[in-house]
Amino acid sequence: MDALDARILLAVDDDPDATILALAKRLGIARNTLHARLRRLQEAGAVREFSRRVDPAALGYGLVAFVSVALSQTTGRRATAALADFPEVIEMHSTTGEADLLLKVVARDTADLHRISGELLAVPDVVRTSTVISLREELPVRTRALIERAADQRHPW
């Protein structure tokens, strides 16, 4: 990603509803250049789907929890696909340490979280889980400062 790609991402972040033509004019580049670069960024996975911007609380899932999952050391990797099938699992990371996976899970309330936790534990090859409830999001996922750094012409990336 070069500085122009980063500037394009910042412009889209500032005005996600802007047309290609309006963004191109704002950035001072050709419409075809903008369109080609945006397409390349999307194909490379730099621009993720719109649904990542939707707050689960707006859908009735106001409770957030983090679930550490220990898997069977011999067959546990098969469980990853089964865990990804849960719509309430909104993020999954392989980790080091005592747990093999860290899941970000959303639920309607603690009773719903209890149900989800039981279903996660019932997945074949899941050995144990440990759940921590988030009291408040102190800092949402953010990448803008990183994009701004990439857009800075003084940096080589």
Side-chain angles (χ1 to χ4, degrees):
M1 177 180 304
D2 64 16
L4 180 55
D5 288 338
R7 288 180 45 230
I8 290 168
L9 293 176
L10 289 171
V12 170
D13 191 50
D14 288 340
D15 190 0
D17 295 326
T19 65
I20 295 288
L21 183 58
L23 288 172
K25 284 181 180 179
R26 179 174 161 194
L27 292 165
I29 61 175
R31 181 187 59 81
N32 288 339
T33 300
L34 175 67
H35 190 260
R37 283 181 174 250
L38 266 177
R39 180 173 298 170
R40 183 178 46 78
L41 288 166
Q42 289 169 332
E43 289 170 358
V47 179
R48 296 183 174 170
E49 66 274 5
F50 175 80
S51 63
R52 291 184 58 101
R53 298 182 74 160
V54 176
D55 184 355
L59 302 171
Y61 294 88
L63 189 140
V64 175
F66 297 93
V67 180
S68 299
V69 179
L71 301 173
S72 166
Q73 294 303 301
T74 56
T75 59
R77 291 294 157 207
R78 295 182 305 189
T80 305
L83 294 168
D85 284 342
F86 284 80
E88 299 92 350
V89 174
I90 61 172
E91 284 186 44
M92 183 183 323
H93 300 267
S94 293
T95 59
T96 61
E98 291 185 32
D100 299 296
L101 297 171
L102 180 62
L103 312 180
K104 184 175 181 181
V105 175
V106 293
R108 295 185 181 281
D109 51 32
T110 55
D112 192 34
L113 179 59
H114 186 263
R115 174 195 59 81
I116 295 164
S117 296
E119 291 176 6
L120 295 173
L121 194 52
V123 169
D125 302 320
V126 170
V127 176
R128 76 180 163 281
T129 64
S130 176
T131 302
V132 176
I133 294 175
S134 172
L135 298 177
R136 179 177 64 217
E137 181 179 65
E138 296 291 343
L139 179 68
V141 173
R142 62 177 182 165
T143 56
R144 187 170 179 95
L146 297 174
I147 299 169
E148 288 170 346
R149 180 184 288 172
D152 186 343
Q153 296 286 343
R154 295 172 292 170
H155 288 83
W157 58 89

